[in-house]
Amino acid sequence: MTRPRLTAYGMAVLAVALVGTGAWLVVLDGDGGQAVYFGVACVLASASVVLGVLVAAKRPADRTGALLASVGLAAIWIVFTDVYLDLAGHRPGLPGRAVMVTVSQGLWMLNYVPAALLMLLFPDGRPPPGRRWRAVAVAVPAVPALFIVLAGLDPAPFPAPFGGVRHAFGTVPPPLWTVLGPVEIALLPALLLLLVASATAMIARYRRAGDPVRRAQLKWFALGALFLPATLLLCWLSYLLLDGPDLALAGLGATLVAIPTATAIAILRHDLYDVDRALSAAVTYGLVTTVLLGFYTAAAFVAGVTAGRSSPAAAATATAVCALVLSPLRARLQVRVDRRLYPARQAALAAIDGLRTRMHAGEAVPEQLQAVLRAALRDPDLRVGYRLPGTDELVTASGAPLEPHGQAVAIRFGGTPIGVLMRGRTGTRELLRELADASALLVEVVRLRLDLRRALRDVEDSRARLLRAGYAERQRLERDLHDGAQQRLVSLGMALRLAQRHLPDGDVANVLDQAVDELGTAVAELRQIAHGLRPSSLEEGLPAALAMLVRGVPIPVVLDVCPEPVPEDVATTAYYVASEAVANAVKHAEAGGIRLRVSRADGHLTVEVHDDGFGGATIEPGSGLAGLADRVAAAGGALSVASRPGSGTSVEAVLPCAS
């Protein structure tokens, strides 16, 4: 077992022993107030001990676990001493009474030793490089120890009820105390200087740290350490409202939990939350609170001078007015604090605002969002993905497919997912969420522009396909007419010429019969060609044409067609939709049944064809469904195909059909 872990475990055992002994003393004392005080203090201090043991278990070679345990142990020792002295005040025979009374005179200094050592040694358990920092590390525990000894050597009698208790360390002659007394007093500012030096060491370590993990750990510790000045603000407020430091006890209790908790998070889970955001917000609200307290103090003082007495109501009213005035200034203060403590957030939000401003001036386009965020966050791997309307597909600003990677945060507009913001090398999830909210409008504009470009491209492709299909259809008609009906008619003309020549021979009847047969064949072929352009069955209406269509289908077809008449062009398009879908179901889907339904509502004609085949149909370039989609689009409608494997195929066309 490593020494740091063994030290942390030993402190935990000692803390348990002190809590148990202190509980026994509380029972002997029988004072309910002391019991509550001891219980609350031990619960708060035990949090630090438990976190220290947890850190030591997870990081055996890290001294931070032992330092955390020492924070809780020092607090438990102090509260144990208070309970012991309360009982010793009316039990003179209590063991160790003289030693405890003597030590207690300077014991309060122990409150600052663990916190100072944490600031000095965090996060690797060693002071910053340099002799002066090593000297500070030695002086931090040495000064309180010397102060406790000198306070115990003071020849003055102990305060009541311990006036008759002997000094456990003995006393020094008065002439010698005239030298040691000033030394004892000088240790007080020395401790303050050591605390300042410890805080300075933490700042120096942060400035030298190049590792983002180390910097995040130091920020977490600083966030917990902010409870110390917050306790001073509570003490200030307590004197204003209660004429005493009672509220400071709550601040000390919160500090006793906050510093160990922040330290444990820094060591074990530094990426748990956006510490920059929390630190910036804490400093901002702390500054606002300080201003309000200062204004309240000044208002109360002015009211007391002018009215001859204090006026809490007037001071509170003036402070409320000050709060209203400061409310719009808080945002500006937040910006200034962010520049110092959260530069990434400030830079990114300013970059988004700048892009919007340049867009309104016509100097930029929203597709520059990714480049702007990369420059602001100094993250060349950051990506912005746009979700095309009506799909789950993610694309870049140029329309290229994009696969999500790393840490991604959804961008929403009106509650609808419109894209993602993907982290590269820097930034936290909380920062990405804030930037996603700030850039939602820009992302919405980009994806709508992408959708418009895609729609225009589809229209151009559709027009090109329709043009090619028109040329191909003309060539087919020309070929069919040339090879079929035209040849028949030419043959008919030659037969009639021949009949003309054979008139004197008397063989005219047979020749004319052949000519009539050829003419009938030509007429039939021309009708077939014309049917390919527009089914002749539509002359009797769409319901009759569809009934004739499904009559020759070899599988059962359920037909449901609205009886209302529809315009000729709409009926023709609807017929071809039904014809192509039914033909595909028969040829490719191996369906056992088909349902064909045509309905009309709200100025639209809807054609639905559903089969129970094996599914898997898609609209692919050059396929019959692609041509059908182009025909429907040319009529101003929309064609959709739903065809999951094993669930059959549903083809639906919605055509505009005004009454």
Side-chain angles (χ1 to χ4, degrees):
M1 184 178 294
T2 61
R3 181 177 295 177
R5 176 187 283 185
L6 185 61
T7 302
Y9 288 176
M11 289 183 177
V13 172
L14 183 56
V16 171
L18 287 175
V19 171
T21 306
W24 176 66
L25 294 177
V26 167
V27 173
L28 292 178
D29 194 9
D31 188 342
Q34 284 292 318
V36 173
Y37 163 67
F38 181 77
V40 172
C42 287
V43 169
L44 295 177
S46 297
S48 180
V49 177
V50 171
L51 290 173
V53 171
L54 178 62
V55 171
K58 296 289 185 179
R59 306 286 179 88
D62 198 327
R63 300 176 184 176
T64 306
L67 289 173
L68 281 178
S70 70
V71 173
L73 179 61
I76 292 174
W77 171 253
I78 290 173
V79 71
F80 170 82
T81 302
D82 291 341
V83 170
Y84 179 93
L85 293 178
D86 185 73
L87 179 61
H90 53 270
R91 287 205 178 187
L94 204 63
R97 185 167 180 256
V99 175
M100 293 294 289
V101 171
T102 302
V103 171
S104 67
Q105 303 307 305
L107 196 64
W108 58 270
M109 268 201 176
L110 291 182
N111 280 313
Y112 301 95
V113 173
L117 288 176
L118 267 176
M119 288 189 290
L120 187 64
L121 305 179
F122 184 82
D124 55 8
R126 292 185 295 272
R131 292 182 178 179
R132 58 175 180 173
W133 298 120
R134 289 196 294 270
V136 172
V138 173
V140 165
V143 166
L146 180 59
F147 183 83
I148 292 173
V149 172
L150 290 179
L153 292 175
D154 189 344
F158 294 128
F162 306 109
V165 177
R166 66 178 180 84
H167 290 67
F169 302 156
T171 58
V172 296
L176 181 58
W177 182 249
T178 57
V179 177
L180 296 180
V183 174
E184 179 190 14
I185 296 175
L187 292 178
L188 298 176
L191 177 64
L192 180 60
L193 291 176
L194 289 174
L195 292 175
V196 173
S198 298
T200 305
M202 183 178 65
I203 297 173
R205 193 190 298 272
Y206 176 80
R207 290 179 175 177
R208 294 176 183 175
D211 184 7
V213 174
R214 180 63 56 86
R215 294 175 74 91
Q217 289 176 333
L218 290 168
K219 289 176 182 178
W220 272 110
F221 182 80
L223 182 62
L226 283 178
F227 275 78
L228 287 173
T231 301
L232 296 178
L233 289 178
L234 277 176
C235 185
W236 184 1
L237 179 63
S238 181
Y239 273 106
L240 287 175
L241 300 179
L242 306 177
D243 291 329
D246 297 342
L247 292 180
L249 296 177
L252 290 174
T255 303
L256 191 60
V257 176
I259 291 181
T261 302
T263 306
I265 293 175
I267 295 298
L268 303 178
R269 288 291 306 276
H270 68 276
D271 57 348
L272 180 65
Y273 185 75
D274 191 350
V275 64
D276 290 319
R277 182 176 184 179
L279 192 60
S280 176
V283 171
T284 300
Y285 283 103
L287 291 175
V288 172
T289 303
T290 302
V291 172
L292 289 177
L293 285 176
F295 194 89
Y296 181 88
T297 304
F301 176 77
V302 171
V305 170
T306 56
R309 57 185 180 84
S310 62
S311 179
T317 302
T319 305
V321 173
C322 178
L324 292 176
V325 173
L326 286 176
S327 180
L329 298 179
R330 191 201 62 80
R332 296 184 181 181
L333 181 61
Q334 182 73 66
V335 170
R336 293 182 178 274
V337 173
D338 282 347
R339 288 177 184 173
R340 301 290 298 177
L341 301 180
Y342 203 176
R345 175 181 181 270
Q346 175 63 23
L349 292 178
I352 294 174
D353 289 338
L355 179 59
R356 288 200 198 98
T357 302
R358 295 197 305 275
M359 279 178 53
H360 293 158
E363 301 173 354
V365 293
E367 285 79 4
Q368 295 174 334
L369 176 63
Q370 177 174 283
V372 164
L373 289 177
R374 283 181 172 181
L377 296 175
R378 300 179 182 178
D379 185 358
D381 296 330
L382 180 140
R383 303 294 297 273
V384 180
Y386 305 89
R387 193 179 302 277
L388 294 177
T391 69
D392 292 332
E393 179 184 3
L394 285 177
V395 297
T396 63
S398 63
L402 179 64
E403 290 294 331
H405 68 277
Q407 190 179 75
V409 172
I411 304 173
R412 299 180 182 274
F413 187 77
T416 302
I418 60 173
V420 295
L421 195 59
M422 289 175 276
R423 176 183 179 272
R425 303 175 185 175
T426 62
T428 62
R429 180 174 292 274
E430 287 71 23
L431 177 58
L432 291 181
R433 287 174 180 166
E434 188 171 3
L435 297 181
D437 293 339
S439 60
L441 185 58
L442 295 174
V443 173
E444 177 69 4
V445 172
V446 173
R447 80 179 194 121
L448 291 179
R449 286 158 62 105
L450 285 171
D451 190 49
L452 179 59
R453 288 201 295 267
R454 184 181 65 168
L456 293 175
R457 186 169 56 251
D458 290 344
V459 169
E460 292 176 357
D461 294 343
S462 177
R463 288 177 177 175
R465 289 194 298 268
L466 287 174
L467 186 61
R468 290 193 297 270
Y471 288 150
E473 188 66 17
R474 289 181 182 180
Q475 292 175 356
R476 185 185 68 81
L477 289 174
E478 182 181 358
R479 184 174 58 252
D480 290 347
L481 290 172
H482 180 273
D483 297 340
Q486 184 175 338
Q487 295 297 328
R488 297 289 184 186
L489 293 176
V490 170
S491 177
L492 176 59
M494 295 177 62
L496 292 176
R497 287 286 186 185
L498 184 61
Q500 185 181 17
R501 293 176 184 176
H502 283 75
L503 281 176
D505 298 341
D507 194 16
V508 178
N510 291 333
V511 175
L512 291 177
D513 287 341
Q514 293 178 3
V516 171
D517 290 341
E518 291 292 335
L519 184 59
T521 303
V523 171
E525 290 182 355
L526 286 175
R527 283 179 177 173
Q528 290 180 353
I529 294 172
H531 184 79
L533 297 176
R534 182 180 183 276
S536 59
S537 58
L538 284 173
E539 297 293 339
E540 301 179 10
L542 182 60
L546 293 179
M548 187 177 298
L549 172 68
V550 303
R551 192 175 300 162
V553 177
I555 59 177
V557 179
V558 177
L559 185 63
D560 180 13
V561 184
C562 62
E564 295 90 347
V566 297
E568 183 177 348
D569 56 340
V570 178
T572 301
T573 305
Y575 179 87
Y576 280 116
V577 170
S579 176
E580 179 71 22
V582 170
N584 286 341
V586 174
K587 294 178 183 178
H588 308 298
E590 299 182 3
I594 302 173
R595 185 177 70 254
L596 171 57
R597 182 174 181 268
V598 180
S599 59
R600 184 176 181 179
D602 299 329
H604 291 86
L605 185 73
T606 303
V607 182
E608 300 173 87
V609 181
H610 178 74
D611 65 67
D612 58 359
F614 51 75
T618 56
I619 300 178
E620 298 178 354
S623 66
L625 287 176
L628 197 61
D630 292 340
R631 182 187 291 270
V632 172
L639 181 77
S640 61
V641 177
S643 184
R644 292 187 300 175
S647 300
T649 300
S650 294
V651 178
E652 180 182 83
V654 180
L655 301 166
C657 182
S659 56

